Amino acid sequence: MQEDISVYLFLGFLESGKTKFIQETLEDPRMDTGERTLLLVCEEGEEEYSPDNFNVKYVTKVTLESAQELTLQNLETLTQKYKIQRVVVEYNGTWLLQQFFDAMPESWVINQIMTFFDASTFLNYNQNMRQLVFDKIQMTQMVVFNRFKGEFEKLDFHKVVRGISRRPDIVYEYIGGKAEFDEIEDPMPFDVNAPVIEIEDRDFAWFYRDLAEKTDEYIGKTVKFKGMAAVSKRVPKGYIVLGRHIMTCCEADISYDGFAVKTCGLIDEVKTRDWLAVTAKITVEKNAVYRGEGPVLIAEKIERAEAPEEAVVTYY
């Protein structure tokens, strides 16, 4: 059986610093492990590679001229032709990440993802090309803001990243080479230690993600919020799903997200799209809503409620 091939994926827009970082990485003697490396370049900017300075001996550079060349067949051919053991990818900032995942041979395994942005243009990109920014941050392990300046407000950059994912480290690299890790704390917009955690309508997206990611920390706590009900054959008798429509990136990705709520006979027949206010204790159970185990809210009080002013909530 073919051994796994580690893939190092470097994301970002043109002139964001990807080439410079990869060049320095391949100049590092510690990277010379004897593995035959494919340097897969999906876009070429002003900065060019200097292979003569690589300390990694076995590097084959291949440039893809268009997204149409990014196919499973082409990547498998390259793997076999050059007997590849490691892959370093400079990905095109205008190509969606899913296209790369769809083209990956089975033997390729993502080892690391890093994303680079030019700090001087990032906020403008986020405003005008939000989907592409979201795409490059959602699964990354580190976001590097190059060409950062002292007059920039770190919180503006921090909020964009954390609105997409709390996973990556954030690094601000200043002109001149100084680098700082982001140490801004992210307090929730509600008190998680209150006797009853009260979730305002606008804050449901943050509550949904925090509870989904840190379920164990919420077990036994009581929460109060308003949501839209969903009822279907998949939802067990005596339960409803209560949630909101959440926009993560843009209008195209709006989805209904909610939690299983055990009604405990506290309300009469509930129909899909009914708005309810619930006070409930959080536990974890196996439930068909999750096709396995997940957070279940045991209702202590349920009341019918008016729909909020904003039908869709976001992480902003």
Side-chain angles (χ1 to χ4, degrees):
M1 293 182 63
Q2 188 172 4
E3 294 185 2
D4 289 343
I5 297 172
S6 293
V7 177
Y8 298 83
L9 192 55
F10 298 93
L11 312 177
F13 298 113
L14 200 63
E15 309 304 331
S16 61
K18 302 189 299 293
T19 302
K20 181 176 182 291
F21 186 88
I22 294 172
Q23 175 73 35
E24 293 173 351
T25 299
L26 295 177
E27 289 179 4
D28 190 337
R30 293 171 295 180
M31 286 291 289
D32 187 19
T33 56
E35 294 175 301
R36 289 182 294 276
T37 301
L38 171 65
L39 173 55
L40 188 65
V41 180
C42 301
E43 67 178 2
E44 291 190 292
E46 292 183 6
E47 183 134 2
E48 297 182 358
Y49 287 100
S50 301
D52 292 342
N53 294 329
F54 291 168
N55 271 307
V56 177
K57 296 183 180 67
Y58 308 108
V59 179
T60 300
K61 177 176 173 285
V62 174
T63 301
L64 301 184
E65 301 293 344
S66 69
Q68 286 69 38
E69 297 180 56
L70 186 61
T71 65
L72 175 59
Q73 182 178 355
N74 283 348
L75 298 188
E76 286 183 335
T77 298
L78 292 172
T79 302
Q80 296 167 10
K81 179 178 179 179
Y82 298 109
K83 296 180 172 54
I84 296 304
Q85 297 172 298
R86 177 173 59 189
V87 181
V88 175
V89 183
E90 180 179 355
Y91 200 59
N92 191 305
T94 64
W95 300 355
L96 293 177
L97 196 51
Q98 189 60 48
Q99 183 175 355
F100 180 80
F101 294 149
D102 291 342
M104 278 177 54
E106 287 188 13
S107 59
W108 288 24
V109 177
I110 299 293
N111 186 290
Q112 185 179 43
I113 303 177
M114 293 181 65
T115 301
F116 297 80
F117 293 109
D118 182 338
S120 64
T121 58
F122 172 72
L123 297 178
N124 186 52
Y125 269 115
N126 182 62
Q127 184 175 358
N128 297 292
M129 303 175 67
R130 172 67 181 168
Q131 184 179 9
L132 291 176
V133 170
F134 175 87
D135 183 66
K136 303 306 177 288
I137 292 177
Q138 61 176 328
M139 298 186 67
T140 195
Q141 294 153 310
M142 178 178 287
V143 175
V144 179
F145 290 111
N146 281 311
R147 307 178 185 97
F148 205 79
K149 298 179 181 179
E151 62 264 31
F152 292 164
E153 181 58 59
K154 290 180 182 177
L155 187 60
D156 294 337
F157 296 78
H158 173 95
K159 284 181 176 179
V160 174
V161 176
R162 288 293 175 253
I164 297 170
S165 173
R166 284 183 291 178
R167 175 190 304 175
D169 292 325
I170 303 173
V171 178
Y172 305 100
E173 188 166 300
Y174 292 82
I175 297 173
K178 177 187 174 183
E180 292 179 350
F181 274 87
D182 183 286
E183 296 181 349
I184 299 173
E185 295 186 5
D186 289 299
M188 289 294 104
F190 45 83
D191 185 357
V192 297
N193 296 311
V196 177
I197 305 170
E198 297 199 29
I199 311 300
E200 298 292 334
D201 291 339
R202 65 179 181 273
D203 298 330
F204 180 82
W206 285 100
F207 169 66
Y208 175 81
R209 187 165 73 178
D210 206 50
L211 176 53
E213 292 179 353
K214 302 177 182 178
T215 304
D216 290 347
E217 297 180 17
Y218 280 87
I219 294 176
K221 294 186 176 183
T222 301
V223 64
K224 179 181 179 181
F225 68 93
K226 183 164 62 179
M228 186 174 70
V231 180
S232 71
K233 293 180 179 179
R234 178 180 160 190
V235 180
K237 186 176 181 180
Y239 291 79
I240 60 172
V241 174
L242 200 62
R244 296 288 303 272
H245 283 99
I246 299 176
M247 181 172 70
T248 304
C249 164
C250 48
E251 290 185 3
D253 77 352
I254 294 175
S255 63
Y256 174 83
D257 296 306
F259 299 106
V261 176
K262 187 174 183 179
T263 59
C264 300
L266 295 175
I267 193 168
D268 296 332
E269 182 182 0
V270 175
K271 298 178 181 179
T272 295
R273 297 189 178 277
D274 283 352
W275 282 91
L276 304 172
V278 63
T279 302
K281 183 162 288 188
I282 301 169
T283 186
V284 172
E285 296 178 0
K286 286 186 177 180
N287 193 288
V289 170
Y290 306 112
R291 295 189 174 92
E293 198 173 74
V296 173
L297 281 55
I298 309 299
E300 297 176 351
K301 183 178 181 180
I302 302 180
E303 298 177 312
R304 298 192 180 274
E306 295 293 326
E309 291 184 7
E310 298 293 335
V312 177
V313 290
T314 73
Y315 293 103
Y316 302 96

